[in-house]
Amino acid sequence: SGRGVHELNNLFELMPTLSRSDVLTTIASFCQRLLRAPIHFTYANAILKPANGGAAVRPHQDCAYDRTSSCNDYTVWVP
């Protein structure tokens, strides 16, 4: 990405246990209650940006990263 910004893509492939982590289990439970529908994760990435020192992450549609997305899906951002 930009200067000082590092991005890791395809985290579910790199870290298969991630989708069973406590954080994602909690997010899934919340989203299912909010949407009143089953949910599933299709893609995860991490953007590592130092505070006040990295370049801005440009606006984007997540479907550009997640080829399984229809661009009508929901994205959950976890700081």
Side-chain angles (χ1 to χ4, degrees), residues 10-21:
N10 302 310
L11 290 180
F12 290 141
E13 292 175 24
L14 295 172
M15 302 169 59
T17 58
L18 179 63
S19 63
R20 295 184 303 276
S21 70

Side-chain angles (χ1 to χ4, degrees), residues 5 8 10 12 32 36-37 39 42 45-46 54 57 59-60 63 65-66 69 75-76:
V5 177
L8 300 170
N10 302 310
F12 290 141
Q32 287 180 148
R36 297 181 184 164
I39 64 108
T42 60
N45 71 326
V57 176
H60 63 277
C63 60
Y65 294 91
D66 178 6
S69 174
T75 299
V76 176

